[in-house]
Amino acid sequence: MTSQDELLKTYELIKQERQADLFQYQQKVLQKSITQKKKEGICWYPVKLDRTYIGTGERLVVELQRTNNFEQRHLFSSGKAVSLFSNAQNSPQRDHVNAVINFVRDNNMVLTLNVDDLPDWIEDGSLGVDVMFDEISYREMEFAMKTVLKAESGRIADLREILLGYQKANFNEIAVSSHELNSSKLEAQNSKLNDSQQRALEKVLSANDVGIIHGPPGTGKTTTLVEGIIRTVENEKQVLVCAPSNAAIDLLVEKLSERGLNVLRIGHPARVTEQSLSKTLDSRIASHEYYKDLRGMRRKMEELKTLALKFKRKFGHEEREQRKMMMNEVKTLKADADVLEFYITNNLIDKSDVIASTLVGSSHYVLRGRKFKSVFIDEAAQSLEPACWIPLLKAERVIFAGDHQQLPPTIKSFEAAKAGLAETLMEKCIKRQPTTASMLQTQYRMHEAIMRFSSDYFYDGALIADESVKSRLLKEEETPISFIDTAGCGYNEEQDPETLSRLNKEEAELVIRQIEKLIRDVGEEQWLSEKITLGIITPYSAQVEYLARLVESSEELEHLKHLVTINTVDAFQGQERDVIAISLVRSNDKGEVGFLGDIRRTNVALTRARKKLIVVGDSATLGSHKFYLEWLDYVQKGDFYKSAFELTDNG
């Protein structure tokens, strides 16, 4: 098989994924009534228009309020593409405009509209908001794949062969001393890297084609990546930095800005965190020295357009000529405004140390034709291969950062994932060119016992707990891990008939009782004064909802709710808490583990806790899987095992 054969297969898989995604969208949105969509949390209707105003980058913003179904859970979140529609009876057909969500809180939603003028029907009432299908991402991924496929020569053809393992990656000889590292002229704080971080930095600086920072949980991947970017900027003046999600890229924007780099964030302002908003292109254009001139031109254009449109066709020859003259002036002004905006944009890009965007966002028209010596891709183990090729078209070399033993990319088509789409470009590179990767080994998050199982199973036992966390416990004599086995208790899982998600009510109640007991043991006063954080993780959304209801009604947790987060594994990637409680849910006679079979997800869950990890599950069901069999062996050897039968009713 050649690299092109392999790429062609990936190209077909992304097309398959697009079809699966579109089909699911059609089933969910297009073929259902408003009542059904509201029930599933993919439509708000009716909504009341509170106000409209001009936001960042002269964009139209609308604030909406949901007027019923207040308790209904929904799938809307910041950055999602949506459709604002009117269902007013006097409309011959349903009017709609595309928009992006700025934020959603309780029953309020703020949208940035993707149009220049407010639609006439916005005042007619009967407004609603639907989720939308993300067509643009697929279009950009497919375009990038075709470009890479067709490349006969040049740098992109070389990178194709190297990244897929058909040619060897090259490195320069380099050594970075601690003295050099800490005398870096962009050093805003005295950041001393440990030995494995320093080796990874050397990999970044010496790679001619590709380098990989492999960062297991808690090992300081972001710290190392930021250092690598800073040193590369010193050598190359400017770099492109990407990540698959807005949240991941905004975190990097924040870290790099703190270190004194001039970062320009490319992307829709509605998809950017508040901290990164001032770094966006729209915001920077608005504060540019020539922006006043640009705004003046646009204002004059609007005034002339308004005047010109007052002349109707039935007016005489003179009026028509007057109208024509005005419209010509509008065209001239528009051309001048476009030239000035082009100058301002390029001036801002040229002055920036770092251009930051999502993977798909790197195809933005303002970056068209631009080349970078280096592109850094964070969370590369969660990035679809076709998405990685988008920024790679602009680069001579790539630095990946991530951990392929944690969450994989989200894929809608089970068949496409199984056929190879779930394997990322970073993962292929690590397997086929192991010398390109450097693994970070010292972790600064977890007690050694919490770390050990994950280290042995996923990282060849190579992780080392730093002295600062190695023996850190929630309180003296408290064990770092508790595994509570529900086997034989009759705590059987059930399936939500509507969402098909699974839940296990008795197990959830046991989890909450264990948390309440821990709070009593530590003492509420101490818990509050030390601000001890608690995360409750479960693989199933139905169990998340049930656990949330139990927390809401718990007296012991009443004053601690601000310190508690309940969510699925995916939402906890990259996060940590003092205490983590995991409800594994699965308990059945067939020994089916379902979702839990993706052990990388479980690895994420098991490595979020700093001081205390509580896991509740059914060993009879879990024992059918090799990974969980080894986990059970680990907790028994460490004396962390308890049967639910041993526990009294009050915990």
Side-chain angles (χ1 to χ4, degrees), residues 210-482:
V210 54
I212 299 171
I213 301 170
H214 178 196
T219 54
K221 178 207 67 175
T222 304
T223 303
T224 313
L225 179 61
V226 164
E227 207 63 56
I229 292 167
I230 286 172
R231 295 301 299 270
T232 306
V233 166
E234 288 184 347
N235 296 332
E236 298 173 11
K237 306 303 175 214
Q238 190 178 71
V239 298
L240 178 62
V241 177
C242 298
S245 68
N246 286 290
I249 197 64
D250 283 337
L251 175 68
L252 268 180
V253 167
E254 208 179 313
K255 300 280 185 197
L256 292 164
S257 300
E258 280 170 10
R259 297 291 298 278
L261 288 176
N262 179 5
V263 185
L264 184 66
R265 170 73 159 93
I266 305 292
H268 198 298
R271 292 193 167 102
V272 174
T273 60
E274 216 168 305
Q275 294 91 321
S276 297
L277 204 54
S278 62
K279 317 287 188 308
T280 60
L281 183 60
D282 290 58
S283 181
R284 289 278 173 85
I285 288 173
S287 56
H288 194 275
E289 56 180 324
Y290 292 143
Y291 179 66
K292 205 184 279 183
D293 300 338
L294 180 63
R295 198 170 185 179
M297 284 178 185
R298 283 183 178 154
R299 195 171 285 142
K300 196 169 179 193
M301 274 164 57
E302 289 308 311
E303 287 166 5
L304 281 167
K305 244 199 287 187
T306 309
L307 266 175
L309 293 172
K310 282 181 181 171
F311 293 105
K312 305 290 181 193
R313 282 186 181 177
K314 63 183 178 184
F315 286 5
H317 173 74
E318 202 174 307
E319 285 87 355
R320 274 200 300 274
E321 286 302 307
Q322 188 82 13
R323 184 173 187 258
K324 194 175 169 186
M325 203 167 71
M326 283 181 181
M327 291 312 281
N328 282 338
E329 199 175 336
V330 168
K331 273 184 199 166
T332 307
L333 274 169
K334 188 184 181 312
D336 290 347
D338 287 348
V339 169
L340 183 55
E341 188 173 0
F342 181 78
Y343 166 77
I344 293 171
T345 302
N346 283 287
N347 182 247
L348 289 166
I349 292 171
D350 292 341
K351 282 182 181 172
S352 301
D353 300 318
V354 174
I355 307 297
S357 74
T358 60
L359 295 165
V360 173
S362 66
S363 65
H364 197 286
Y365 73 92
V366 298
L367 298 180
R368 213 161 281 154
R370 286 199 173 251
K371 295 286 180 193
F372 301 86
K373 187 171 189 318
S374 300
V375 59
F376 287 78
I377 299 179
D378 193 16
E379 300 297 358
Q382 276 189 280
S383 307
L384 284 169
E385 180 183 333
C388 286
W389 287 112
I390 301 170
L392 276 163
L393 294 177
K394 300 178 186 301
E396 288 179 35
R397 68 171 198 139
V398 59
I399 303 299
F400 292 119
D403 179 15
H404 55 294
Q405 302 294 2
Q406 292 187 62
L407 287 180
T410 303
I411 297 173
K412 302 277 172 71
S413 165
F414 175 75
E415 291 77 16
K418 206 174 171 186
L421 193 60
E423 190 177 24
T424 63
L425 198 52
M426 173 181 148
E427 201 174 345
K428 286 179 181 180
C429 222
I430 280 189
K431 286 177 184 170
R432 300 172 192 188
Q433 306 238 36
T435 58
T436 61
S438 191
M439 190 176 91
L440 308 179
Q441 290 175 288
T442 306
Q443 69 83 18
Y444 300 90
R445 176 184 297 162
M446 298 161 266
H447 185 285
E448 188 172 29
I450 299 172
M451 173 204 79
R452 181 56 47 213
F453 177 74
S454 178
S455 174
D456 290 348
Y457 196 95
F458 293 99
Y459 308 105
D460 298 325
L463 297 189
I464 303 152
D466 186 69
E467 286 299 324
S468 61
V469 299
K470 190 176 182 178
S471 311
R472 192 174 60 180
L473 291 164
L474 196 59
K475 68 182 191 75
E476 270 187 66
E477 294 171 26
E478 178 68 52
T479 59
I481 300 174
S482 299

Side-chain angles (χ1 to χ4, degrees), residues 38-64:
K38 279 162 65 177
K39 207 172 180 182
E40 288 179 23
I42 52 174
C43 177
W44 274 19
Y45 181 86
V47 292
K48 180 166 75 81
L49 180 66
D50 276 351
R51 69 180 185 124
T52 65
Y53 56 93
I54 303 295
T56 307
E58 301 286 293
R59 293 173 188 255
L60 276 170
V61 177
V62 297
E63 288 187 4
L64 306 165

Side-chain angles (χ1 to χ4, degrees), residues 1-181:
M1 189 187 264
T2 66
S3 64
Q4 276 149 313
D5 293 334
E6 192 177 335
L7 271 174
L8 192 58
K9 184 188 170 191
T10 308
Y11 175 66
E12 292 304 325
L13 291 176
I14 199 65
K15 280 165 63 178
Q16 192 177 330
E17 169 69 0
R18 180 191 203 155
Q19 286 309 311
D21 200 355
L22 183 58
F23 177 73
Q24 285 180 30
Y25 171 75
Q26 287 167 338
Q27 297 288 100
K28 255 186 181 179
V29 181
L30 301 184
Q31 294 169 15
K32 289 193 175 172
S33 67
I34 284 179
T35 308
Q36 286 174 306
K37 290 189 289 187
K38 279 162 65 177
K39 207 172 180 182
E40 288 179 23
I42 52 174
C43 177
W44 274 19
Y45 181 86
V47 292
K48 180 166 75 81
L49 180 66
D50 276 351
R51 69 180 185 124
T52 65
Y53 56 93
I54 303 295
T56 307
E58 301 286 293
R59 293 173 188 255
L60 276 170
V61 177
V62 297
E63 288 187 4
L64 306 165
Q65 194 177 12
R66 182 161 56 160
T67 55
N68 61 17
N69 287 74
F70 302 131
E71 300 306 314
Q72 188 101 32
R73 284 178 74 89
H74 59 81
L75 301 176
F76 293 105
S77 59
S78 299
K80 271 206 168 165
V82 292
S83 170
L84 173 66
F85 65 85
S86 168
N87 216 28
Q89 286 179 348
N90 57 355
S91 297
Q93 59 187 59
R94 200 175 81 171
D95 295 304
H96 70 95
V97 290
N98 295 347
V100 175
I101 299 176
N102 290 36
F103 68 85
V104 188
R105 194 173 296 136
D106 301 326
N107 295 303
N108 301 303
M109 188 184 288
V110 179
L111 304 179
T112 297
L113 304 185
N114 293 339
V115 287
D116 295 330
D117 301 303
L118 276 174
D120 303 333
W121 47 262
I122 204 157
E123 300 291 347
D124 295 346
S126 301
L127 296 177
V129 184
D130 267 344
V131 295
M132 265 184 69
F133 179 65
D134 182 12
E135 180 73 33
I136 294 165
S137 295
Y138 287 107
R139 201 166 59 225
E140 294 298 343
M141 284 192 278
E142 287 174 24
F143 174 79
M145 292 293 289
K146 280 195 273 195
T147 308
V148 179
L149 262 166
K150 284 191 292 193
E152 296 293 331
S153 58
R155 190 57 185 154
I156 197 65
D158 294 343
L159 283 174
R160 178 186 67 212
E161 301 305 307
I162 293 162
L163 295 177
L164 294 173
Y166 294 88
Q167 272 180 33
K168 201 168 181 297
N170 292 308
F171 292 87
N172 292 321
E173 283 300 313
I174 189 163
V176 185
S177 71
S178 296
H179 171 72
E180 269 188 293
L181 183 63

Side-chain angles (χ1 to χ4, degrees), residues 555-649:
E555 284 181 30
E556 270 95 342
L557 285 159
E558 194 175 343
H559 302 118
L560 308 174
K561 283 173 193 164
H562 62 290
L563 297 168
V564 180
T565 316
I566 310 163
N567 223 320
T568 56
V569 184
D570 298 48
F572 271 94
Q573 168 98 343
Q575 297 192 37
E576 55 188 72
R577 298 289 187 274
D578 294 313
V579 180
I580 287 286
I582 303 170
S583 170
L584 293 172
V585 177
R586 299 310 294 252
S587 178
N588 55 72
D589 297 335
K590 294 176 184 173
E592 288 175 353
V593 295
F595 251 179
L596 301 182
D598 186 350
I599 58 174
R600 291 181 292 182
R601 269 192 163 73
T602 309
N603 184 33
V604 171
L606 293 174
T607 54
R608 301 303 99 195
R610 296 187 193 111
K611 303 171 186 176
K612 175 74 180 180
L613 174 66
I614 301 167
V615 184
V616 182
D618 178 352
S619 66
T621 300
L622 298 171
S624 64
H625 193 288
K626 176 182 176 288
F627 172 80
Y628 295 100
L629 208 52
E630 291 200 26
W631 162 255
L632 291 165
D633 190 42
Y634 177 74
V635 293
Q636 280 169 334
K637 280 180 181 165
D639 205 19
F640 305 135
Y641 176 92
K642 280 181 189 168
S643 166
F645 286 121
E646 295 170 35
L647 307 171
T648 60
D649 280 348

